[in-house]
């Protein structure tokens, strides 16, 4: 069974809402390689999961005038993180959080340091990357462009794993890329969300590597929402802020459709 869902949108929509970090599910064979006990693992998931972002994307898709496509990871990022570079380009390797994590958000052991990432990369990371590449390619063939909007959340207080946690933590952080994020996409997000910051505490965007830095028809923006604006931290229920954010995300989708 695939570890992700592709939820089709309108044929004329270039927008792909990408939700990579919303799930808590860990297959039993992957769980066996994690050294945390069950209680510590649940606590780690509370901190690392972008809780309720799949629901946020689903509600926004329903509100949008033109339904966007949705690509949703159904497994925890503790299985693999599909947004990391799978090689030495990934700066998060320095804290044990490359494509396959060996450390927790508190920089404690998650897996043995000598864990071979290849089996997990082969089983989960590469099929996910291929599928996302195909979705983007199909949008390019259908409408001549693709707009990847990454839907994330982040804690109100920095966690030890963050490499750039000392900067501002706005209600909504927009992650940008100098090649793939045009000014008009940032302007549309500012209009939709109101109060936003740029590239702090998280920066960058997700673009499949086949197109990354090569194809300007692929635009991308990361939307990082501070968790205290819509849920009880860490890992608690969503509140009324979720609906307001869904309306804003829908407005962004319609602005770039």
């Amino acid at each position: 069974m695939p570890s992700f869902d592709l939820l089709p949108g309108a044929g004329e929509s270039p927008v792909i809402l990408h939700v990579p970090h919303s799930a808590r599910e860990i297959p039993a064979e992957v769980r066996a390689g994690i050294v945390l006990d069950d209680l510590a693992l649940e606590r780690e998931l509370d901190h690392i999961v972008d809780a309720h972002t799949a629901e946020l994307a689903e509600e926004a898709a329903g509100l949008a005038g033109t339904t966007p496509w949705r690509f949703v990871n159904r497994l925890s990022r503790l299985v693999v993180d599909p947004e990391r570079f799978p090689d030495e380009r990934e700066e998060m390797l320095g804290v044990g959080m490359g494509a396959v994590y060996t450390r927790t958000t508190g920089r404690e052991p998650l897996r043995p340091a000598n864990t071979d990432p290849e089996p997990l990369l082969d089983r989960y990371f590469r099929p996910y990357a291929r599928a996302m590449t195909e979705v983007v390619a199909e949008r390019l063939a259908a409408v001549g462009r693709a707009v990847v909007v990454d839907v994330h959340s982040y804690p109100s207080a920095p966690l030890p794993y963050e490499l750039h946690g000392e900067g501002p933590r706005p209600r909504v952080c927009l992650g940008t890329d100098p090649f793939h994020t045009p000014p008009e996409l940032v302007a549309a997000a500012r209009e939709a969300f109101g109060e936003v910051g740029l590239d702090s505490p998280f920066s960058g965007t997700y673009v499949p590597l086949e197109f990354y830095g090569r194809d300007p028809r692929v635009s991308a923006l990361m939307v990082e929402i501070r968790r205290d604006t819509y849920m009880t931290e860490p890992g608690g229920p969503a509140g009324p802020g979720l609906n307001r954010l869904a309306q804003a995300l829908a407005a962004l989708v319609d602005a770039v459709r």
Side-chain angles (χ1 to χ4, degrees), residues 23-66:
R24 297 175 72 97
E25 182 70 22
I26 300 174
E29 64 274 15
V30 180
R31 171 66 180 95
I34 292 175
V35 302
L36 302 179
D37 63 31
D38 289 347
L39 182 61
L41 178 57
E42 288 302 308
R43 187 162 55 244
E44 177 64 11
L45 288 167
D46 285 344
H47 288 299
I48 198 68
V49 170
D50 292 352
H52 313 296
T53 50
E55 295 94 323
L56 171 62
E58 180 179 13
E59 186 172 346
L63 291 169
T66 300

Side-chain angles (χ1 to χ4, degrees), residues 180-193:
H180 290 284
T181 310
E184 57 268 25
L185 184 53
V186 174
R190 287 186 185 277
E191 179 68 21
F193 287 101

Side-chain angles (χ1 to χ4, degrees), residues 97-224:
M97 299 180 90
V100 175
Y101 295 178
T102 58
R103 293 275 169 172
T104 69
T105 53
R107 302 200 183 195
E108 299 297 326
L110 178 75
R111 291 183 173 93
N114 63 351
T115 296
D116 180 5
E118 277 303 311
L120 291 173
L121 293 175
D122 193 54
R123 182 164 185 179
Y124 297 106
F125 184 94
R126 294 188 181 102
Y128 189 107
R130 284 194 297 270
M132 189 66 183
T133 299
E134 289 168 3
V135 174
V136 171
E138 196 278 333
R139 289 295 83 208
L140 290 175
V143 297
R145 64 191 183 112
V147 183
V148 180
V149 178
D150 238 7
V151 184
H152 290 264
S153 70
Y154 74 99
S156 56
L159 292 170
Y161 84 95
E162 295 183 25
L163 295 178
H164 310 288
E166 70 284 353
R169 303 180 84 82
R171 293 172 63 87
V172 175
C173 162
L174 303 179
T176 67
D177 178 87
F179 186 88
H180 290 284
T181 310
E184 57 268 25
L185 184 53
V186 174
R190 287 186 185 277
E191 179 68 21
F193 287 101
E195 178 191 340
V196 302
L198 292 181
D199 295 313
S200 175
F202 298 98
S203 62
T205 64
Y206 175 76
V207 174
L209 291 177
E210 182 172 318
F211 307 102
Y212 184 67
R214 301 176 183 177
D215 195 332
R217 298 176 300 163
V218 181
S219 301
L221 181 73
M222 180 169 66
V223 177
E224 287 269 6

